[in-house]
Amino acid sequence: MAKISEAEFKQQIKTGAFSNAYLIYGEEAFLKNHYVHLLKKKIVEPGFEDFNYHSYNGNQTALDEILKDAEMLPMMSSYNFVLVCDYPFDKKESDIKLLQDFLSDIPQTTILVFWYDSIDFPLKNKEGRILSKSNKIENAFIKSGSVVELKARTEAELVKMLISGFKKRGSVISAANAKYLISLSGNDIQTLQNETEKIAHFVKEAEVTKDVIDRLATKSLQARVNDLSKAIVAGDYDKAYSILNTLFIHEPKAEYLLGTISKSYVDMYRVKCAKSAGLPASDVKKYFSYPYDSYINNAVRDSAKLSVKQIRKSLDVIMEADNALKSTSVNKKLIFEEAMVKLLLISKEVKYDQN
């Protein structure tokens, strides 16, 4: 059939014009889970789940066993629904041929769904290149069913969702404050829905202000790391260490924290270089395909306090720390803290001994 859009997928579910096979993957976990459950609700008749619904964790069942259930006829229903989560096609080469053969002659009374929740799809090698087997799997589903990639919502879509969500609960939020809430709590739909419920319950029928968001919104890890970057750039030692200690409680992996810090400095460097070339920051967002304005806004704010030379030195420090994290058994938190001290000194234009 085809690779279809989310809107087309939604229409299939609404009208009951199902494909016999679906491959569902993408960045947005909430949407994948949402549509999989919508399919089940629409297809599997209550009271007949034991006969017409078969669910598998891909890591626990062999493909040939799964496909045996997919060949079964439904009982007192139109369809036999088979749901497979996170099947590891990279473990057994013959599985792809087995899937291709089955899909080429799939029973018209079967709806087979493969969806990827905790495993990334398309499958990639260590260098990040898409494996050819991923193309074979996708093409098999395209020929006999539908492929649905559920991408993360754009900032504009999330803003619209928040405005609508607060309106349904009797309160109001402006587009600017909706963007601000996204910058603090992240772009995960489930998280934003939870924040909407919590904040709307607090404000009742009043407007959601920036002050209310600051007091009530739960900050994402990305937002906390942004706060750390802001404190470092400002040379605020006390605040930087306070945020760092909190971060290591919630996310003890120094590699992840350093990687997120490095993104902030790369953003600042891009904005600074654009400014030197006489280009607006909006060109950086467009050229590097940033999904949200907050990334560029933060970079504009923080880069104003640093020179290009300081940012370059900071990136060198981050690279050295990254190499140290990968090549030593020393306490990783100590390596991260040492890097942070150097970044703070650079922000204050204080020289330190690189030896």
Side-chain angles (χ1 to χ4, degrees):
M1 292 180 71
K3 187 169 184 176
I4 61 177
S5 67
E6 181 184 344
E8 291 170 320
F9 186 31
K10 187 186 295 185
Q11 185 66 16
Q12 282 190 4
I13 297 173
K14 182 179 179 180
T15 61
F18 305 111
S19 298
N20 287 108
Y22 289 97
L23 172 63
I24 302 172
Y25 66 94
E27 303 168 288
E28 186 49 69
F30 173 83
L31 291 178
K32 289 184 290 185
N33 189 67
H34 171 72
Y35 283 114
V36 163
H37 282 84
L38 272 185
L39 272 175
K40 180 189 172 185
K41 185 177 179 180
K42 188 80 172 184
I43 294 169
V44 182
E45 295 183 17
F48 290 90
E49 291 91 348
D50 290 343
F51 302 102
N52 301 324
Y53 173 60
H54 311 276
S55 178
Y56 299 96
N57 181 317
N59 281 311
Q60 298 175 359
T61 310
L63 183 60
D64 56 350
E65 292 297 319
I66 293 172
L67 296 183
K68 284 180 183 178
D69 276 343
E71 290 176 338
M72 293 174 59
L73 291 172
M75 180 175 289
M76 303 294 290
S77 180
S78 299
Y79 296 106
N80 173 35
F81 186 61
V82 181
L83 180 63
V84 187
C85 182
D86 291 334
Y87 192 83
F89 278 102
D90 55 337
K91 289 187 176 180
K92 196 174 180 182
E93 196 68 34
S94 59
D95 277 349
I96 296 177
K97 182 65 166 59
L98 189 62
L99 177 71
Q100 290 171 327
D101 290 343
F102 179 82
L103 289 180
S104 67
D105 191 28
I106 187 171
Q108 294 303 297
T109 55
T110 292
I111 294 181
L112 175 64
V113 178
F114 276 71
W115 71 297
Y116 285 86
D117 183 28
S118 57
I119 295 178
D120 288 335
F121 191 92
L123 306 173
K124 298 177 182 177
N125 61 17
K126 293 180 180 179
E127 289 73 38
R129 295 176 183 171
I130 295 176
L131 298 175
S132 60
K133 61 181 64 179
S134 291
N135 295 326
K136 292 178 182 178
I137 295 165
E138 190 163 333
N139 287 335
F141 277 94
I142 287 174
K143 288 178 181 178
S144 304
S146 296
V147 173
V148 188
E149 181 182 4
L150 295 169
K151 300 179 180 180
R153 290 280 193 257
T154 65
E155 185 176 52
E157 290 170 332
L158 291 177
V159 167
K160 185 178 179 181
M161 181 191 79
L162 287 172
I163 292 174
S164 175
F166 279 107
K167 184 178 180 180
K168 288 177 182 177
R169 293 164 176 82
S171 49
V172 178
I173 188 171
S174 67
N177 283 335
K179 284 185 179 182
Y180 183 62
L181 177 56
I182 294 167
S183 73
L184 288 187
S185 297
N187 63 342
D188 178 74
I189 292 178
Q190 186 64 65
T191 298
L192 289 174
Q193 288 186 339
N194 292 340
E195 292 300 310
T196 300
E197 191 70 39
K198 176 179 66 179
I199 295 172
H201 180 74
F202 176 82
V203 300
K204 306 298 182 185
E205 296 181 1
E207 183 176 356
V208 179
T209 64
K210 186 174 182 292
D211 178 62
V212 168
I213 294 171
D214 283 332
R215 283 190 287 143
L216 297 180
T218 302
K219 284 192 174 183
S220 67
L221 184 60
Q222 175 69 55
R224 292 178 186 275
V225 173
N226 288 340
D227 286 343
L228 177 59
S229 298
K230 184 179 177 181
I232 290 172
V233 170
D236 191 335
Y237 293 79
D238 292 338
K239 187 172 183 179
Y241 276 105
S242 175
I243 295 171
L244 179 62
N245 288 330
T246 302
L247 282 171
F248 269 102
I249 292 173
H250 293 282
E251 176 52 70
K253 294 182 180 179
E255 294 92 340
Y256 177 84
L257 295 179
L258 188 67
T260 309
I261 285 275
S262 72
K263 290 177 184 176
S264 296
Y265 275 88
V266 168
D267 293 345
M268 285 190 278
Y269 186 70
R270 287 171 175 170
V271 166
K272 206 75 175 177
C273 289
K275 186 176 180 181
S276 299
L279 300 173
S282 58
D283 279 9
V284 177
K285 181 179 185 294
K286 186 188 304 181
Y287 186 81
F288 291 99
S289 302
Y290 283 93
Y292 307 112
D293 290 341
S294 59
Y295 292 116
I296 298 302
N297 294 339
N298 290 337
V300 170
R301 177 198 65 210
D302 295 338
S303 65
K305 299 171 184 176
L306 298 175
S307 66
V308 172
K309 185 177 180 181
Q310 284 174 299
I311 297 175
R312 285 174 179 165
K313 283 184 177 180
S314 298
L315 287 170
D316 287 340
V317 166
I318 291 169
M319 184 175 67
E320 290 170 4
D322 182 61
N323 289 333
L325 287 173
K326 294 174 181 175
S327 60
T328 181
S329 59
V330 175
N331 187 306
K332 294 185 176 183
K333 185 179 178 184
L334 290 177
I335 294 173
F336 190 91
E337 288 179 339
E338 181 183 358
M340 192 177 74
V341 169
K342 291 178 178 179
L343 293 174
L344 283 162
L345 291 172
I346 291 171
S347 72
K348 289 290 189 179
E349 294 189 312
V350 177
K351 293 182 179 180
Y352 62 90
D353 185 1
Q354 292 183 312
N355 296 322

